[in-house]
Amino acid sequence: MKIVVIGGTGLIGSKLVKKLREHGHEAVAASPNTGVNSVTGEGLADALKGASVVVDVTNSPSWEDAAVLKFFETSTRNLLAHEAASGVGHHVALSVVGTERLLESGFFRAKLAQENLIKASSIPYSIVRATQFFEFVKQIVDSSTVGNQVRLPPALIQPMAADDVAGAMARIATNSPLNGAVEIGGPEQFRLDELARLELAARQDPREVISDPRARYVGIAVSERALVPGGNAQLGEAHFEDWLNQSTRQAPKSPLQPT
Ligand SMILES: NC(=O)c1ccc[n+]([C@@H]2O[C@H](COP(=O)([O-])OP(=O)(O)OC[C@H]3O[C@@H](n4cnc5c(N)ncnc54)[C@H](OP(=O)(O)O)[C@@H]3O)[C@@H](O)[C@H]2O)c1
């Protein structure tokens, strides 16, 4: 099957392209880096020629409210129009668990707009809502840092490995369209503050984590269960602490460290 991965050079996209090729599919990594731009439309018609499935794992270069909304709306409209013209039979998009509970954020308003455009289109589709990637935990910690302190609410989070996200996307992209949404998540729940402590300890980062029920998560208020998926979520296999041990072992040594 020819499967075009829009955002195929990104964190999830590059893993997905590799998995699809390993399973014998013709997977095309499409992104500005490979001459395909879903916002301007550049290269889309050529890339989609003969494709059965399009997977959208793009992300906006800017998370500013107006910019991110414009990105996901324009990109999704362009993709769906080109898919209709090329006879693509399945549009798969990666979204986020709890999007409708996080609308204080412009980023999540943009993801909801993306989902709504897909649902309203004539292309058969599957929306995959994932929990936060293990790889994103550092960004959560950094966005909650002031000086040497990281202030996070003790809300629940059920993060998953980008590898498991890509595996689920590959499975869903090569099956029949769901014409609905499915949730995917990690195998374990943590409290956000506890997760941050694990991340920092493994990286020998001296920042102190303060549990604060009024603290915000990436700039917005979150209720205790806002980030966790429902009981029907498909769960990944990788455990956060195993992944953390592995990724800190693999981290290149700073040139200033003694060898
Ligand atoms: N972070 C999380 O924890 C999390 C959780 C659930 C869902 N998600 C969703 O997962 C998706 C993918 O995330 P990611 O971390 O894999 O993203 P990423 O690593 O930032 O990659 C983004 C990709 O989008 C491409 N892109 C940017 N502008 C484009 C354009 N105009 N046309 C075509 N492609 C464009 C980039 O191409 P270049 O390399 O050429 O710039 C890159 O391949 C996002 O939609 C995000 O909402 C994230």
Side-chain angles (χ1 to χ4, degrees), residues 104-116:
E104 187 189 342
S105 148
F107 182 83
F108 291 101
R109 293 197 292 276
K111 293 301 286 183
L112 193 64
Q114 176 189 16
E115 290 191 4
N116 287 338

Side-chain angles (χ1 to χ4, degrees), residues 92-111:
V92 184
L94 183 54
S95 191
V96 190
V97 162
T99 289
E100 72 286 354
R101 298 187 287 269
L102 304 167
L103 298 179
E104 187 189 342
S105 148
F107 182 83
F108 291 101
R109 293 197 292 276
K111 293 301 286 183

